């Protein structure tokens, strides 16, 4: 009668630089970093949000388990699905902003622009809901309109603010290599309860 030994459980460790042990604390339901606070940490947060916004947005969605907006659970909070979806939006925006084909370019640019605004607005709303952050910086007193106004008029600021809040870039860490990586080693898939 031999007893079968089970292998020990596997643990993942993510190396972090000193002072970057996680998210910033949120006090009183307020953002710990201002909307237009890009100069607190220009690199990687602000520059990534301005030039390559799909990466910080995907990192925030994956790290915070933000599933909405999704269509048939895609892209959900999966790293690869978010990167594919957001990079396609980014490429369409770059291509059809630089190349002018009468009527076609205008319609594609409009669809891409509206899709980006809706996707980022809903992501910001879900992020605030997950973190317990209330919004009161515009005219609309903690409604979706406040998120929509912020996203429409300064999309890169919205993405950079979520990125700074989630990954605590304000501590002076400028690890640009980490800014392009999946923040969770499990591939961004939520564990299934048994």
């Amino acid at each position: 009668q031999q007893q079968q030994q089970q292998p020990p459980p596997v643990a993942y460790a993510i190396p972090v630089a000193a002072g970057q042990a996680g998210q910033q604390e949120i006090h009183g339901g307020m953002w710990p970093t201002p909307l237009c606070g890009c100069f607190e940490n220009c690199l990687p947060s602000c520059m990534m949000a301005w030039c390559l916004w799909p990466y910080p947005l995907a990192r925030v969605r994956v790290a915070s388990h933000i599933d909405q907006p999704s269509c048939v659970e895609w892209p959900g909070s999966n790293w690869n699905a978010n990167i594919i979806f957001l990079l396609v939006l980014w490429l369409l925006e770059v291509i059809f902003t630089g190349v002018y084909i009468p009527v076609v370019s205008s319609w594609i640019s409009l669809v891409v622009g509206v899709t980006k605004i809706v996707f980022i607005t809903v992501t910001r709303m879900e992020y605030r809901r997950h973190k317990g952050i209330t919004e009161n910086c515009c005219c609309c007193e903690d409604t979706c309109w406040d998120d929509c106004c912020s996203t429409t008029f300064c999309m890169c600021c919205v993405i950079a603010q979520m990125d700074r809040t989630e990954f605590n870039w304000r501590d002076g860490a400028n690890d640009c290599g980490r800014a392009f990586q999946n923040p969770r080693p499990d591939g961004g898939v939520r564990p299934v309860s048994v």
Side-chain angles (χ1 to χ4, degrees):
Q1 294 184 359
Q2 283 184 328
Q3 281 186 320
Q4 291 183 339
Q5 288 184 330
Q6 293 190 359
V10 176
Y12 294 102
I14 302 172
V16 291
Q20 280 198 319
Q23 308 161 352
Q24 293 187 29
E25 289 188 35
I26 296 168
H27 300 287
M30 302 300 292
W31 287 98
T33 176
L35 180 64
C36 297
C38 283
F39 292 110
E40 292 176 0
N41 189 285
C42 290
L43 199 64
S45 182
C46 184
M47 293 303 292
M48 294 270 305
W50 181 260
C51 300
L52 287 170
W53 58 266
Y55 284 95
L57 187 60
R59 285 177 49 78
V60 166
R61 289 180 55 83
V62 170
S64 298
H65 293 287
I66 296 176
D67 295 331
Q68 298 299 324
S70 291
C71 181
V72 193
E73 298 183 17
W74 200 86
S77 63
N78 181 289
W79 171 255
N80 293 330
N82 271 284
I83 285 296
I84 290 167
F85 175 73
L86 294 170
L87 282 175
V88 166
L89 274 181
W90 180 73
L91 283 172
L92 285 172
E93 177 185 43
V94 168
I95 290 169
F96 287 101
T97 301
V99 175
Y100 182 72
I101 303 168
V103 181
V104 175
S105 290
S106 300
W107 282 105
I108 291 176
S109 293
L110 178 67
V111 169
V112 168
V114 169
T115 303
K116 276 176 41 183
I117 289 171
V118 169
F119 193 82
I120 295 170
T121 297
V122 173
T123 297
R124 182 176 168 87
M125 289 168 43
E126 288 294 309
Y127 185 79
R128 288 192 311 102
R129 188 178 64 77
H130 283 292
K131 302 296 180 186
I133 299 172
T134 57
E135 189 73 271
N136 195 7
C137 70
C138 198
C139 59
C140 308
E141 300 270 342
D142 199 28
T143 63
C144 65
W145 290 109
D146 206 19
D147 291 312
C148 185
C149 286
S150 299
T151 302
T152 301
F153 295 110
C154 195
M155 194 174 298
C156 63
C157 293
V158 165
I159 294 169
Q161 183 184 38
M162 289 188 292
D163 189 54
R164 284 191 311 272
T165 301
E166 185 64 31
F167 298 105
N168 204 9
W169 294 115
R170 293 176 65 191
D171 288 343
N174 297 336
D175 188 357
C176 292
R178 193 169 61 101
F180 286 98
Q181 297 173 354
N182 183 350
R184 294 194 347 245
D186 62 1
V189 179
R190 226 183 257 226
V192 178
S193 307
V194 180

